[in-house]
Amino acid sequence: MLPIMRLPAQLTSPFSSTLSSLLLLLASFACAGIVAVPVAHAANPHKLWEIVSQECVPHMQAKGDPAPCASVDLERGFVVLKDLVGPAQYLLMPTRRLTGIESPELLAADAPNYWGYAWQQRFRVAQTLGRALRDEQLGLEVNSAAGRSQLHLHVHIDCMRRDVAESLAAHRADTLRQWTPWRFEGHRYWVMRLPADALHTDDPFKLAAARSAFAASAMGAQSLLLTAARFEDGSAGFYLVNMPVNFDLEEQGSAEVLMDHDCRW
C-alpha cells in the first residue's frame, strides 16, 4: 500500500459546500510520494499546478518549449509531465485549474475527455522503457481526494500489475457498460467492460457519476482506473475500475495500488 500522510492543518481547497465536510475528512488521509515533484516539495499541495501554470505553459507560449513538461497541447488544454516516481510514469494534467476528480466541471456536457487524451499518450511509457508493451500492460488512473497529495487534477499513465490484469480477465464476458462487483486482495471494487471505441463516446468520470446517486454527489470519494483488455470473443476494449473510499475497510480510494510503477511485467 502507498504511505499515508496528514496534510497541513491550514490546507484549504475549493470544494463545493455539498462535499466540503466529506472531502476535508478524506484529505486527512492523503497519500504521499505519488506526484511528479521531489519529496521536499510534497507538502505543497499546489506544486503540480505551479509547474503547469508557471513553467510548462508559459515556456510553450513564449519559446515553443514545453520544459519541464514532455508536451504541452495548448489547443486541447493539457500537458504531459514525467513523474519522478517510477522509470516511465507520466502525468496528464489540464492547463486550466481543476482541483481533482471532484471538480464539477468534469461532468459538464462539453468537458474535455482527459482520459482519451491520456490514452493517446500511453506510447511514452514504452518509449521511455525502450521496449514494446501491449495495451493490456498499460493503465490510466485518478485518485480520490483521500488518495492524493496534490490539488490539481492529474491522470497517471503507467504500467499495470500482471496479477491485476489476470484477475480482471474473469470479467471478459460481462455485459458492456454495466458495473459489476470485483474483489481483489480483500478490497472491493466495481468494474465495467467497455468496447474499443469507448473513449470516443464515453467519459470515465461521467460513467462513475452515473453508477449511483451517491457517487454523483460524492465524486471526491471515487478513484478510477482504466486499462485495455482482450475479451472472450477476441475483441479489444477496456476495463474501467471504480474504487470508492471506505474507511471501515481501510480503502482510501487509491486505485493506483493496481498499477506497477516499476513496470516489471
Side-chain angles (χ1 to χ4, degrees):
M1 295 293 290
L2 295 171
I4 307 298
M5 76 171 192
R6 186 173 297 276
L7 292 179
Q10 68 272 24
L11 176 63
T12 60
S13 58
F15 298 142
S16 69
S17 58
T18 305
L19 297 178
S20 59
S21 59
L22 170 64
L23 295 179
L24 287 175
L25 173 63
L26 300 183
S28 69
F29 290 85
C31 292
I34 59 174
V35 298
V37 296
V39 173
H41 295 138
N44 177 5
H46 306 291
K47 185 62 180 179
L48 285 181
W49 173 239
E50 292 170 0
I51 291 173
V52 173
S53 62
Q54 299 176 22
E55 299 183 57
C56 299
V57 170
H59 291 171
M60 190 66 182
Q61 291 172 328
K63 303 181 292 184
D65 179 4
C69 287
S71 176
V72 173
D73 191 320
L74 296 174
E75 181 178 354
R76 293 188 289 176
F78 67 84
V79 309
V80 180
L81 176 70
K82 173 66 182 68
D83 199 310
L84 294 183
V85 175
Q89 181 181 191
Y90 285 83
L91 303 177
L92 182 137
M93 298 175 283
T95 55
R96 64 185 296 196
R97 188 68 157 120
L98 295 173
T99 305
I101 192 170
E102 72 281 2
S103 297
E105 296 91 338
L106 295 174
L107 301 183
D110 60 349
N113 191 334
Y114 294 111
W115 294 87
Y117 297 159
W119 189 246
Q120 292 171 356
Q121 297 294 318
R122 68 191 184 281
F123 72 90
R124 296 184 184 278
V125 177
Q127 187 178 75
T128 301
L129 291 173
R131 58 185 171 90
L133 293 172
R134 300 189 308 279
D135 281 349
E136 297 94 308
Q137 294 175 270
L138 297 164
L140 312 176
E141 192 271 342
V142 173
N143 288 317
S144 71
R148 67 175 193 238
S149 62
Q150 290 290 299
L151 292 177
H152 187 54
L153 177 68
H154 50 287
V155 182
H156 298 257
I157 309 170
D158 208 354
C159 298
M160 289 293 301
R161 287 171 48 181
R162 180 196 292 267
D163 56 346
V164 168
E166 292 172 347
S167 181
L168 283 172
H171 293 270
R172 290 177 300 175
D174 284 2
T175 302
L176 286 172
R177 293 186 172 89
Q178 178 175 298
W179 289 107
T180 305
W182 172 51
R183 297 199 72 89
F184 182 73
E185 293 185 332
H187 295 282
R188 61 184 184 184
Y189 303 83
W190 294 89
V191 60
M192 176 184 286
R193 189 169 73 97
L194 295 169
D197 63 351
L199 292 179
H200 297 294
T201 58
D202 298 293
D203 185 322
F205 289 127
K206 294 173 183 176
L207 291 174
R211 185 172 67 81
S212 70
F214 176 76
S217 66
M219 284 297 291
Q222 313 301 316
S223 178
L224 295 171
L225 178 141
L226 184 79
T227 184
R230 183 67 61 177
F231 299 135
E232 194 171 63
D233 61 2
S235 65
F238 298 95
Y239 293 122
L240 177 62
V241 176
N242 179 206
M243 181 185 184
V245 171
N246 186 318
F247 290 136
D248 289 340
L249 297 179
E250 298 183 356
E251 295 171 350
Q252 59 188 332
S254 178
E256 190 178 352
V257 298
L258 304 177
M259 304 185 86
D260 177 10
H261 291 318
D262 292 323
C263 290
R264 291 163 293 191
W265 185 1

